[in-house]
Amino acid sequence: MALRHFGAAAAVAIAVGMTASPALAVTEIQWWHAMTGANNDVIVKLANDFNASQSDYKVIPTYKGSYPDTMNAGIAAFRAGNAPHIMQVFEVGTATMMAATGAVKPVYKLMADAGEKFDPKNYLSAITGYYSTSKGEMLSFPFNSSSTVMWVNLDELKKVNAEIPKTWPEVFAVAKKLHDNGHPTCGFSNSWVTWVNLEQLSAWHNVPLASKANGLDGFDTKLEFNAPLQEKHLEKLVELQKDKTYDYAGRTNQGEGRFTSGECAIYLTSSAFFGNVKAQAKFNFTAAPMPYYPDVKGAPQNSIIGGASLWVMGGKSADEYKGVAKFLTFLSDTDRQVYIHKASGYLPITKAAYEKAKAEGFYKDQPYLETPLLELTNKEPTENSRGLRLGNMVQLRDVWAEEIEQALAGKKTAKQALDASVERGNTMLRQFEKTAVK
Amino acid sequence: MQKQAIFQSKLLPYALVAPQLAIVLIFFYWPAVQAVIQSFLLQDAFGLSTSFVWFENYVELFGDPAYFETIVRTFVFSFAIAASSLSVALLLAVMADKPLRGGAVYRTLLIWPYAVAPPVVGVLWVFMLHPSLGVLSRYLRAAGIEWNPLLDGDQAATLVILAAAWKQISYNFLFFLAGLASIPKSVLEAAAIDGARPMRRFWTVTFPLLSPTIFFLLVVNIVYAFFDTFGIIDTMTRGGPGTSTVTLVYKVYNDGLIGGNLGGSAAQSVILMVMVIVLTGIQFRFVERKVTY
């Protein structure tokens, strides 16, 4: 019965939709995204607010699964000729999207064509740099940005009389203490093993991950992270893995529960972990900056971002683009950015929003929410810390993780694992270069 | 009895077969041909630039020693999954076939897991055996076993095989139960009167009479292990640690969908397709001879 009603309702809805929409002349804008839980609520609220603010356009957000799922759904839809207007793509998909000339409409062009007021200087360059050409043309619109921070269980640190460690040697020492005093299965750990231990590590110490400014200056880039710094770091992790002073927690963020449960007292992962920590942790915590090696000159440099941006897909009508442009302007509004920042824990993307949150005293109560921003803006970005733009990044990360796992399991030395990561990764980069649209 | 149907019109039989043929063509042959064509192409993820590269995708695959490792691993996995799920299902079916109080309840409970989607199976087992989240891993560690499938490849492989086999047990169980029901009780009773003990009765009467079922399930299980396990692998291990749980079909998914390397992925699917055709051929050519219908 229920199903029959549903069918009838659907039929009516379709009939109404078919007859009514041309009469209202509302241009629909499809927005595909990968946000769940509280962040999904934020997206729905943003779309509703925008739809209520004017009557010409209607933004329809659709959840499409995880980041890779959303991206694949968008690519498949594009191949089938019905791509959404706006697609949320995580930062590692940037190179793939960028290489797809014709499939996407660059944001700077979109705004100019639609005659929207748009000044890239209003946005935090540490964030927009990732999504811009070397000429500073913004290709996609930053939406949710985060960075790696070190989550610390203050209660446990107090128990072993330790300060929040600032450098890697200090982290190792504190972890040893924790391991020997009540944390036998985990002194410290991290999620996103390659993001934290290769990508961020390299940027934070101003050493290259790959040539050509980490790929920003061209697809003919070569990986270069089998260098002394990364090797030393991995060697240390391998050594500490033996007695679980460090304990590997998987390729993605599946191990984050080990921090909130209290098992690991030091845990490096995204600043966007904040929502879960706040909801679940029954202890005092903070998010400290990533540790660094003090013997590396100039360290720490600045961190690079994670998260996602909004890509506008190509081949749509001028009217639709006008709506998309209006929506992006709507998102850039200072109050709205402050709202997104507070509700999701992701970073504000405009300078004005950051200043406003600061002026409101937002960081006085929660200083750790400013940590990722301070990391990102710690120093003027260099070629090695502006961002990464490597093709096939999702699979590259899997390959690197495979090799790191081999090292941690004792099947390869750190050097062998990194050499193999570089070699296998370069093969994939050449493959990508071959297929990228020239 | 006349076996041949006689049609008045010459066209009618073709018309009757046409829908079936159309379905086979559209859903089986068309995608297969597409895969073969795609495997000769080099294309970006969006399909914006395409070039014809002949056998380059295949050459690249066979030049990669890791690909051979994947092939061997897939065979080991498939054999382990088929063998373990078939034997456990047979054991359970034989037990459930006995006249028991509440037998229907047991049977229903044993069939349930089949309704669970593979990724859910993966998540379920992860919750039990994940090194830090897992309920069971706590007991394993307490028992002095160094349980860490995140880094130990053999443990991860065992975990995947276990989960994949577990899911297939229900399906096999159902067929075995039906097969057992069709064995005439009089034959078993006669054997019992002749003094054959249960084990002997099973091996000399029941097992041979079940052989068509076993053969059918063997084919189905191998195909399942080859093609349907990737959801389990993706949720449980994502192919790791290292590459110790990457099977052929997972590699197809990973290279094609995650890596956007459609040509290479298509070449792999074509190889996979050929492999399963050959495997099924061998089974029907040689194993079927031992089957008594």
Side-chain angles (χ1 to χ4, degrees), chain A residues 72 75 78-79 100-101 241 244 251-252 258 263 392 394-395 398 402 405-406 409 431 434-435, chain B residues 42-49 56 60 132 151 238 240-243 255 257-259 261-262:
Chain A
N72 289 327
I75 291 175
F78 177 81
R79 290 179 76 114
T101 320
Q241 173 70 52
K244 298 205 166 190
R251 293 180 193 181
T252 63
R258 303 177 73 172
E263 187 193 354
N392 262 344
V394 187
Q395 210 186 4
D398 269 340
E402 277 172 25
E405 283 165 356
Q406 306 255 5
Q431 168 91 24
K434 257 192 282 180
T435 58
Chain B
L42 200 59
Q43 198 178 48
D44 73 302
F46 285 87
L48 295 164
S49 76
E56 201 178 290
E60 210 158 287
S132 56
L151 285 179
R238 306 227 303 165
T243 51
D255 288 5
L257 223 59
I258 302 295
N261 176 8
L262 296 176

mmCIF file of all heavy atoms in Angstrom, chain A residues 72 75 78-79 100-101 241 244 251-252 258 263 392 394-395 398 402 405-406 409 431 434-435, chain B residues 42-49 56 60 132 151 238 240-243 255 257-259 261-262:
data_model
loop_
_atom_site.group_PDB
_atom_site.id
_atom_site.type_symbol
_atom_site.label_atom_id
_atom_site.label_comp_id
_atom_site.label_asym_id
_atom_site.label_seq_id
_atom_site.Cartn_x
_atom_site.Cartn_y
_atom_site.Cartn_z
ATOM 1 N N ASN A 72 33.696 10.543 -9.341
ATOM 2 C CA ASN A 72 33.436 9.567 -10.402
ATOM 3 C C ASN A 72 32.037 9.713 -10.970
ATOM 4 O O ASN A 72 31.829 9.574 -12.166
ATOM 5 C CB ASN A 72 33.641 8.149 -9.877
ATOM 6 C CG ASN A 72 35.104 7.865 -9.645
ATOM 7 O OD1 ASN A 72 35.949 8.368 -10.366
ATOM 8 N ND2 ASN A 72 35.411 7.091 -8.627
ATOM 9 N N ILE A 75 32.176 12.632 -13.309
ATOM 10 C CA ILE A 75 32.861 12.316 -14.560
ATOM 11 C C ILE A 75 31.964 11.454 -15.444
ATOM 12 O O ILE A 75 31.826 11.693 -16.647
ATOM 13 C CB ILE A 75 34.206 11.607 -14.272
ATOM 14 C CG1 ILE A 75 35.176 12.616 -13.639
ATOM 15 C CG2 ILE A 75 34.793 11.031 -15.546
ATOM 16 C CD1 ILE A 75 36.491 12.016 -13.189
ATOM 17 N N PHE A 78 29.287 13.527 -16.879
ATOM 18 C CA PHE A 78 29.799 14.360 -17.966
ATOM 19 C C PHE A 78 29.907 13.560 -19.264
ATOM 20 O O PHE A 78 29.522 14.021 -20.329
ATOM 21 C CB PHE A 78 31.180 14.922 -17.600
ATOM 22 C CG PHE A 78 31.791 15.733 -18.712
ATOM 23 C CD1 PHE A 78 31.422 17.048 -18.903
ATOM 24 C CD2 PHE A 78 32.711 15.165 -19.572
ATOM 25 C CE1 PHE A 78 31.962 17.791 -19.940
ATOM 26 C CE2 PHE A 78 33.260 15.895 -20.616
ATOM 27 C CZ PHE A 78 32.882 17.219 -20.796
ATOM 28 N N ARG A 79 30.407 12.335 -19.138
ATOM 29 C CA ARG A 79 30.546 11.486 -20.331
ATOM 30 C C ARG A 79 29.183 11.186 -20.930
ATOM 31 O O ARG A 79 29.060 10.980 -22.131
ATOM 32 C CB ARG A 79 31.261 10.190 -19.974
ATOM 33 C CG ARG A 79 32.742 10.390 -19.639
ATOM 34 C CD ARG A 79 33.397 9.077 -19.260
ATOM 35 N NE ARG A 79 33.650 8.265 -20.428
ATOM 36 C CZ ARG A 79 34.865 7.955 -20.878
ATOM 37 N NH1 ARG A 79 35.923 8.413 -20.259
ATOM 38 N NH2 ARG A 79 35.018 7.217 -21.928
ATOM 39 N N ALA A 100 41.187 18.656 -17.469
ATOM 40 C CA ALA A 100 40.003 18.452 -18.300
ATOM 41 C C ALA A 100 39.529 19.762 -18.904
ATOM 42 O O ALA A 100 38.413 20.207 -18.659
ATOM 43 C CB ALA A 100 38.905 17.805 -17.473
ATOM 44 N N THR A 101 40.394 20.389 -19.712
ATOM 45 C CA THR A 101 40.005 21.642 -20.369
ATOM 46 C C THR A 101 38.750 21.388 -21.204
ATOM 47 O O THR A 101 38.695 20.438 -21.951
ATOM 48 C CB THR A 101 41.131 22.129 -21.299
ATOM 49 O OG1 THR A 101 42.369 21.887 -20.640
ATOM 50 C CG2 THR A 101 40.992 23.601 -21.600
ATOM 51 N N GLN A 241 57.276 1.721 15.249
ATOM 52 C CA GLN A 241 56.166 0.786 15.031
ATOM 53 C C GLN A 241 56.428 -0.546 15.733
ATOM 54 O O GLN A 241 55.494 -1.224 16.167
ATOM 55 C CB GLN A 241 55.966 0.569 13.527
ATOM 56 C CG GLN A 241 54.954 -0.495 13.146
ATOM 57 C CD GLN A 241 53.513 -0.086 13.467
ATOM 58 O OE1 GLN A 241 53.056 0.973 13.087
ATOM 59 N NE2 GLN A 241 52.810 -0.947 14.194
ATOM 60 N N LYS A 244 55.088 -0.345 19.039
ATOM 61 C CA LYS A 244 53.823 0.399 19.040
ATOM 62 C C LYS A 244 53.906 1.749 19.752
ATOM 63 O O LYS A 244 52.895 2.258 20.219
ATOM 64 C CB LYS A 244 52.693 -0.436 19.644
ATOM 65 C CG LYS A 244 52.440 -1.701 18.845
ATOM 66 C CD LYS A 244 51.050 -2.184 19.030
ATOM 67 C CE LYS A 244 50.739 -3.225 17.968
ATOM 68 N NZ LYS A 244 49.386 -3.593 17.892
ATOM 69 N N ARG A 251 44.981 3.846 5.939
ATOM 70 C CA ARG A 251 45.228 4.830 4.882
ATOM 71 C C ARG A 251 44.313 6.037 4.971
ATOM 72 O O ARG A 251 44.685 7.119 4.583
ATOM 73 C CB ARG A 251 45.026 4.177 3.513
ATOM 74 C CG ARG A 251 46.047 3.130 3.221
ATOM 75 C CD ARG A 251 45.805 2.513 1.865
ATOM 76 N NE ARG A 251 46.615 1.304 1.746
ATOM 77 C CZ ARG A 251 46.645 0.543 0.676
ATOM 78 N NH1 ARG A 251 45.919 0.852 -0.366
ATOM 79 N NH2 ARG A 251 47.409 -0.525 0.648
ATOM 80 N N THR A 252 43.085 5.833 5.394
ATOM 81 C CA THR A 252 42.147 6.960 5.452
ATOM 82 C C THR A 252 41.988 7.398 6.909
ATOM 83 O O THR A 252 42.905 7.242 7.698
ATOM 84 C CB THR A 252 40.783 6.556 4.884
ATOM 85 O OG1 THR A 252 40.247 5.539 5.703
ATOM 86 C CG2 THR A 252 40.924 6.049 3.463
ATOM 87 N N ARG A 258 40.603 6.193 17.567
ATOM 88 C CA ARG A 258 41.610 5.844 18.575
ATOM 89 C C ARG A 258 42.003 7.056 19.406
ATOM 90 O O ARG A 258 42.499 6.906 20.520
ATOM 91 C CB ARG A 258 42.845 5.256 17.889
ATOM 92 C CG ARG A 258 42.513 4.056 17.039
ATOM 93 C CD ARG A 258 43.719 3.530 16.325
ATOM 94 N NE ARG A 258 44.606 2.845 17.262
ATOM 95 C CZ ARG A 258 45.667 2.146 16.869
ATOM 96 N NH1 ARG A 258 45.975 2.055 15.598
ATOM 97 N NH2 ARG A 258 46.426 1.554 17.765
ATOM 98 N N GLU A 263 42.764 6.010 23.333
ATOM 99 C CA GLU A 263 43.846 5.042 23.147
ATOM 100 C C GLU A 263 45.142 5.730 22.722
ATOM 101 O O GLU A 263 46.201 5.464 23.280
ATOM 102 C CB GLU A 263 43.442 3.992 22.101
ATOM 103 C CG GLU A 263 44.457 2.866 21.981
ATOM 104 C CD GLU A 263 44.230 1.999 20.731
ATOM 105 O OE1 GLU A 263 43.230 2.191 20.032
ATOM 106 O OE2 GLU A 263 45.097 1.134 20.490
ATOM 107 N N ASN A 392 46.205 11.819 -11.170
ATOM 108 C CA ASN A 392 45.938 10.506 -10.583
ATOM 109 C C ASN A 392 46.249 10.434 -9.104
ATOM 110 O O ASN A 392 46.660 9.409 -8.589
ATOM 111 C CB ASN A 392 46.794 9.439 -11.267
ATOM 112 C CG ASN A 392 46.006 8.714 -12.315
ATOM 113 O OD1 ASN A 392 44.777 8.792 -12.317
ATOM 114 N ND2 ASN A 392 46.683 8.016 -13.187
ATOM 115 N N VAL A 394 44.675 10.254 -6.356
ATOM 116 C CA VAL A 394 44.012 9.296 -5.470
ATOM 117 C C VAL A 394 44.738 7.955 -5.518
ATOM 118 O O VAL A 394 45.036 7.342 -4.493
ATOM 119 C CB VAL A 394 42.539 9.092 -5.881
ATOM 120 C CG1 VAL A 394 41.824 8.237 -4.876
ATOM 121 C CG2 VAL A 394 41.849 10.430 -6.016
ATOM 122 N N GLN A 395 45.033 7.529 -6.742
ATOM 123 C CA GLN A 395 45.702 6.250 -6.867
ATOM 124 C C GLN A 395 47.170 6.354 -6.477
ATOM 125 O O GLN A 395 47.747 5.414 -5.930
ATOM 126 C CB GLN A 395 45.570 5.733 -8.290
ATOM 127 C CG GLN A 395 45.571 4.217 -8.329
ATOM 128 C CD GLN A 395 45.587 3.680 -9.738
ATOM 129 O OE1 GLN A 395 45.678 4.421 -10.699
ATOM 130 N NE2 GLN A 395 45.519 2.376 -9.853
ATOM 131 N N ASP A 398 47.415 5.739 -2.915
ATOM 132 C CA ASP A 398 47.291 4.324 -2.591
ATOM 133 C C ASP A 398 48.617 3.607 -2.798
ATOM 134 O O ASP A 398 49.015 2.776 -1.996
ATOM 135 C CB ASP A 398 46.201 3.670 -3.454
ATOM 136 C CG ASP A 398 44.839 3.718 -2.775
ATOM 137 O OD1 ASP A 398 44.817 3.894 -1.534
ATOM 138 O OD2 ASP A 398 43.821 3.600 -3.457
ATOM 139 N N GLU A 402 50.811 1.816 0.013
ATOM 140 C CA GLU A 402 51.212 0.412 -0.105
ATOM 141 C C GLU A 402 52.669 0.243 0.291
ATOM 142 O O GLU A 402 53.024 -0.659 1.053
ATOM 143 C CB GLU A 402 51.068 -0.055 -1.558
ATOM 144 C CG GLU A 402 49.673 -0.484 -1.960
ATOM 145 C CD GLU A 402 49.561 -0.748 -3.453
ATOM 146 O OE1 GLU A 402 50.592 -1.057 -4.100
ATOM 147 O OE2 GLU A 402 48.451 -0.634 -3.973
ATOM 148 N N GLU A 405 53.333 0.893 3.986
ATOM 149 C CA GLU A 405 52.880 -0.267 4.771
ATOM 150 C C GLU A 405 53.920 -1.384 4.735
ATOM 151 O O GLU A 405 54.175 -2.051 5.738
ATOM 152 C CB GLU A 405 51.537 -0.786 4.225
ATOM 153 C CG GLU A 405 50.355 0.087 4.647
ATOM 154 C CD GLU A 405 49.085 -0.186 3.849
ATOM 155 O OE1 GLU A 405 49.115 -1.001 2.899
ATOM 156 O OE2 GLU A 405 48.046 0.426 4.170
ATOM 157 N N GLN A 406 54.522 -1.573 3.551
ATOM 158 C CA GLN A 406 55.563 -2.600 3.447
ATOM 159 C C GLN A 406 56.722 -2.275 4.375
ATOM 160 O O GLN A 406 57.289 -3.170 5.010
ATOM 161 C CB GLN A 406 56.099 -2.664 2.013
ATOM 162 C CG GLN A 406 55.044 -2.854 0.974
ATOM 163 C CD GLN A 406 55.025 -4.254 0.412
ATOM 164 O OE1 GLN A 406 55.758 -5.106 0.868
ATOM 165 N NE2 GLN A 406 54.176 -4.483 -0.561
ATOM 166 N N ALA A 409 55.733 -2.832 7.981
ATOM 167 C CA ALA A 409 55.614 -4.255 8.282
ATOM 168 C C ALA A 409 56.977 -4.938 8.281
ATOM 169 O O ALA A 409 57.080 -6.134 8.539
ATOM 170 C CB ALA A 409 54.688 -4.921 7.276
ATOM 171 N N GLN A 431 51.811 8.299 -17.456
ATOM 172 C CA GLN A 431 50.548 7.823 -18.025
ATOM 173 C C GLN A 431 49.531 8.957 -18.070
ATOM 174 O O GLN A 431 48.853 9.183 -19.059
ATOM 175 C CB GLN A 431 50.036 6.673 -17.154
ATOM 176 C CG GLN A 431 48.615 6.261 -17.421
ATOM 177 C CD GLN A 431 48.544 5.164 -18.452
ATOM 178 O OE1 GLN A 431 49.513 4.424 -18.634
ATOM 179 N NE2 GLN A 431 47.432 5.056 -19.128
ATOM 180 N N LYS A 434 50.271 11.561 -20.668
ATOM 181 C CA LYS A 434 49.920 11.126 -22.014
ATOM 182 C C LYS A 434 48.445 11.397 -22.328
ATOM 183 O O LYS A 434 48.093 11.737 -23.438
ATOM 184 C CB LYS A 434 50.196 9.622 -22.162
ATOM 185 C CG LYS A 434 51.469 9.321 -22.931
ATOM 186 C CD LYS A 434 51.545 7.852 -23.292
ATOM 187 C CE LYS A 434 51.957 6.988 -22.142
ATOM 188 N NZ LYS A 434 52.052 5.573 -22.424
ATOM 189 N N THR A 435 47.587 11.183 -21.323
ATOM 190 C CA THR A 435 46.152 11.308 -21.600
ATOM 191 C C THR A 435 45.611 12.709 -21.347
ATOM 192 O O THR A 435 44.508 13.009 -21.758
ATOM 193 C CB THR A 435 45.337 10.322 -20.738
ATOM 194 O OG1 THR A 435 45.619 10.594 -19.375
ATOM 195 C CG2 THR A 435 45.671 8.896 -21.063
ATOM 196 N N LEU B 42 43.731 4.903 -25.439
ATOM 197 C CA LEU B 42 44.279 5.657 -24.336
ATOM 198 C C LEU B 42 43.402 6.896 -24.214
ATOM 199 O O LEU B 42 43.270 7.660 -25.163
ATOM 200 C CB LEU B 42 45.729 6.045 -24.644
ATOM 201 C CG LEU B 42 46.607 6.415 -23.469
ATOM 202 C CD1 LEU B 42 46.699 5.260 -22.492
ATOM 203 C CD2 LEU B 42 47.998 6.761 -23.963
ATOM 204 N N GLN B 43 42.771 7.042 -23.050
ATOM 205 C CA GLN B 43 41.771 8.092 -22.928
ATOM 206 C C GLN B 43 41.852 8.713 -21.546
ATOM 207 O O GLN B 43 42.119 8.021 -20.575
ATOM 208 C CB GLN B 43 40.391 7.461 -23.150
ATOM 209 C CG GLN B 43 39.306 8.438 -23.488
ATOM 210 C CD GLN B 43 37.983 7.724 -23.736
ATOM 211 O OE1 GLN B 43 37.586 6.879 -22.941
ATOM 212 N NE2 GLN B 43 37.315 8.063 -24.810
ATOM 213 N N ASP B 44 41.593 10.017 -21.467
ATOM 214 C CA ASP B 44 41.551 10.639 -20.150
ATOM 215 C C ASP B 44 40.196 10.350 -19.515
ATOM 216 O O ASP B 44 39.269 9.878 -20.181
ATOM 217 C CB ASP B 44 41.772 12.146 -20.262
ATOM 218 C CG ASP B 44 40.577 12.850 -20.848
ATOM 219 O OD1 ASP B 44 40.206 12.487 -21.972
ATOM 220 O OD2 ASP B 44 39.994 13.726 -20.191
ATOM 221 N N ALA B 45 40.085 10.666 -18.222
ATOM 222 C CA ALA B 45 38.896 10.275 -17.465
ATOM 223 C C ALA B 45 37.617 10.857 -18.052
ATOM 224 O O ALA B 45 36.571 10.223 -18.046
ATOM 225 C CB ALA B 45 39.047 10.700 -16.017
ATOM 226 N N PHE B 46 37.695 12.073 -18.589
ATOM 227 C CA PHE B 46 36.492 12.735 -19.078
ATOM 228 C C PHE B 46 36.133 12.339 -20.507
ATOM 229 O O PHE B 46 35.108 12.748 -21.030
ATOM 230 C CB PHE B 46 36.666 14.259 -19.009
ATOM 231 C CG PHE B 46 36.563 14.803 -17.631
ATOM 232 C CD1 PHE B 46 37.671 14.865 -16.823
ATOM 233 C CD2 PHE B 46 35.347 15.220 -17.131
ATOM 234 C CE1 PHE B 46 37.575 15.352 -15.532
ATOM 235 C CE2 PHE B 46 35.257 15.703 -15.851
ATOM 236 C CZ PHE B 46 36.370 15.768 -15.045
ATOM 237 N N GLY B 47 37.002 11.583 -21.140
ATOM 238 C CA GLY B 47 36.727 11.177 -22.515
ATOM 239 C C GLY B 47 36.935 12.311 -23.494
ATOM 240 O O GLY B 47 36.319 12.364 -24.555
ATOM 241 N N LEU B 48 37.817 13.265 -23.157
ATOM 242 C CA LEU B 48 38.018 14.425 -24.022
ATOM 243 C C LEU B 48 39.083 14.175 -25.079
ATOM 244 O O LEU B 48 39.039 14.732 -26.156
ATOM 245 C CB LEU B 48 38.394 15.643 -23.178
ATOM 246 C CG LEU B 48 37.320 16.133 -22.212
ATOM 247 C CD1 LEU B 48 37.919 17.064 -21.185
ATOM 248 C CD2 LEU B 48 36.207 16.842 -22.977
ATOM 249 N N SER B 49 40.073 13.355 -24.745
ATOM 250 C CA SER B 49 41.106 13.058 -25.729
ATOM 251 C C SER B 49 41.276 11.553 -25.816
ATOM 252 O O SER B 49 41.422 10.873 -24.805
ATOM 253 C CB SER B 49 42.429 13.719 -25.355
ATOM 254 O OG SER B 49 43.060 13.007 -24.317
ATOM 255 N N GLU B 56 49.212 -1.520 -26.637
ATOM 256 C CA GLU B 56 50.082 -0.904 -25.632
ATOM 257 C C GLU B 56 49.614 -1.189 -24.203
ATOM 258 O O GLU B 56 50.421 -1.489 -23.329
ATOM 259 C CB GLU B 56 50.126 0.600 -25.868
ATOM 260 C CG GLU B 56 51.332 1.274 -25.262
ATOM 261 C CD GLU B 56 51.327 2.762 -25.585
ATOM 262 O OE1 GLU B 56 51.545 3.107 -26.764
ATOM 263 O OE2 GLU B 56 51.091 3.553 -24.663
ATOM 264 N N GLU B 60 51.887 -3.159 -21.491
ATOM 265 C CA GLU B 60 52.224 -2.557 -20.210
ATOM 266 C C GLU B 60 51.866 -3.491 -19.045
ATOM 267 O O GLU B 60 52.634 -3.663 -18.111
ATOM 268 C CB GLU B 60 51.467 -1.247 -20.070
ATOM 269 C CG GLU B 60 52.197 -0.223 -19.244
ATOM 270 C CD GLU B 60 51.697 1.168 -19.576
ATOM 271 O OE1 GLU B 60 52.023 1.688 -20.665
ATOM 272 O OE2 GLU B 60 50.949 1.704 -18.755
ATOM 273 N N SER B 132 41.967 -1.825 16.084
ATOM 274 C CA SER B 132 41.640 -0.984 17.237
ATOM 275 C C SER B 132 40.146 -0.931 17.523
ATOM 276 O O SER B 132 39.740 -0.822 18.674
ATOM 277 C CB SER B 132 42.188 0.429 17.035
ATOM 278 O OG SER B 132 41.691 0.966 15.839
ATOM 279 N N LEU B 151 48.775 -4.107 9.023
ATOM 280 C CA LEU B 151 50.162 -4.219 8.585
ATOM 281 C C LEU B 151 50.559 -5.626 8.177
ATOM 282 O O LEU B 151 51.507 -5.819 7.439
ATOM 283 C CB LEU B 151 51.114 -3.726 9.691
ATOM 284 C CG LEU B 151 51.188 -2.215 9.862
ATOM 285 C CD1 LEU B 151 52.131 -1.857 10.983
ATOM 286 C CD2 LEU B 151 51.634 -1.539 8.583
ATOM 287 N N ARG B 238 40.993 -2.035 1.371
ATOM 288 C CA ARG B 238 41.358 -1.220 0.219
ATOM 289 C C ARG B 238 42.605 -1.781 -0.462
ATOM 290 O O ARG B 238 43.466 -1.034 -0.924
ATOM 291 C CB ARG B 238 41.594 0.232 0.636
ATOM 292 C CG ARG B 238 40.410 0.816 1.390
ATOM 293 C CD ARG B 238 39.990 2.158 0.910
ATOM 294 N NE ARG B 238 41.070 3.133 0.951
ATOM 295 C CZ ARG B 238 41.005 4.286 0.310
ATOM 296 N NH1 ARG B 238 39.973 4.590 -0.400
ATOM 297 N NH2 ARG B 238 42.008 5.137 0.390
ATOM 298 N N GLY B 240 45.143 -3.214 0.782
ATOM 299 C CA GLY B 240 46.338 -3.247 1.618
ATOM 300 C C GLY B 240 46.302 -4.354 2.635
ATOM 301 O O GLY B 240 45.348 -5.109 2.656
ATOM 302 N N PRO B 241 47.275 -4.467 3.494
ATOM 303 C CA PRO B 241 48.516 -3.676 3.503
ATOM 304 C C PRO B 241 49.424 -4.068 2.344
ATOM 305 O O PRO B 241 49.399 -5.217 1.921
ATOM 306 C CB PRO B 241 49.160 -4.051 4.832
ATOM 307 C CG PRO B 241 48.622 -5.385 5.152
ATOM 308 C CD PRO B 241 47.248 -5.442 4.576
ATOM 309 N N GLY B 242 50.211 -3.117 1.879
ATOM 310 C CA GLY B 242 50.969 -3.344 0.658
ATOM 311 C C GLY B 242 49.968 -3.627 -0.439
ATOM 312 O O GLY B 242 48.980 -2.913 -0.581
ATOM 313 N N THR B 243 50.195 -4.691 -1.185
ATOM 314 C CA THR B 243 49.210 -5.062 -2.198
ATOM 315 C C THR B 243 48.628 -6.431 -1.865
ATOM 316 O O THR B 243 48.136 -7.131 -2.730
ATOM 317 C CB THR B 243 49.842 -5.131 -3.591
ATOM 318 O OG1 THR B 243 51.005 -5.960 -3.484
ATOM 319 C CG2 THR B 243 50.230 -3.783 -4.093
ATOM 320 N N ASP B 255 42.203 0.868 -10.825
ATOM 321 C CA ASP B 255 42.881 1.540 -11.931
ATOM 322 C C ASP B 255 41.890 2.329 -12.773
ATOM 323 O O ASP B 255 42.187 3.420 -13.237
ATOM 324 C CB ASP B 255 43.606 0.515 -12.811
ATOM 325 C CG ASP B 255 44.822 -0.055 -12.119
ATOM 326 O OD1 ASP B 255 45.023 0.283 -10.937
ATOM 327 O OD2 ASP B 255 45.569 -0.828 -12.742
ATOM 328 N N LEU B 257 38.428 3.273 -12.085
ATOM 329 C CA LEU B 257 37.554 4.273 -11.485
ATOM 330 C C LEU B 257 38.321 5.257 -10.617
ATOM 331 O O LEU B 257 38.095 6.456 -10.662
ATOM 332 C CB LEU B 257 36.470 3.576 -10.654
ATOM 333 C CG LEU B 257 35.084 4.168 -10.845
ATOM 334 C CD1 LEU B 257 34.671 4.091 -12.291
ATOM 335 C CD2 LEU B 257 34.071 3.452 -9.978
ATOM 336 N N ILE B 258 39.245 4.745 -9.810
ATOM 337 C CA ILE B 258 40.009 5.636 -8.934
ATOM 338 C C ILE B 258 41.144 6.283 -9.722
ATOM 339 O O ILE B 258 41.399 7.467 -9.596
ATOM 340 C CB ILE B 258 40.581 4.858 -7.723
ATOM 341 C CG1 ILE B 258 39.455 4.189 -6.940
ATOM 342 C CG2 ILE B 258 41.398 5.767 -6.840
ATOM 343 C CD1 ILE B 258 38.491 5.133 -6.281
ATOM 344 N N GLY B 259 41.830 5.489 -10.537
ATOM 345 C CA GLY B 259 42.980 6.018 -11.253
ATOM 346 C C GLY B 259 42.619 6.689 -12.564
ATOM 347 O O GLY B 259 43.443 7.369 -13.149
ATOM 348 N N ASN B 261 42.417 5.388 -15.360
ATOM 349 C CA ASN B 261 43.133 4.764 -16.468
ATOM 350 C C ASN B 261 42.203 3.755 -17.143
ATOM 351 O O ASN B 261 42.252 2.564 -16.873
ATOM 352 C CB ASN B 261 44.397 4.093 -15.923
ATOM 353 C CG ASN B 261 45.154 3.337 -16.992
ATOM 354 O OD1 ASN B 261 44.833 3.427 -18.173
ATOM 355 N ND2 ASN B 261 46.156 2.597 -16.566
ATOM 356 N N LEU B 262 41.337 4.256 -18.019
ATOM 357 C CA LEU B 262 40.282 3.408 -18.567
ATOM 358 C C LEU B 262 40.823 2.353 -19.521
ATOM 359 O O LEU B 262 40.358 1.214 -19.520
ATOM 360 C CB LEU B 262 39.237 4.276 -19.264
ATOM 361 C CG LEU B 262 38.495 5.225 -18.318
ATOM 362 C CD1 LEU B 262 37.557 6.121 -19.103
ATOM 363 C CD2 LEU B 262 37.726 4.449 -17.269
#
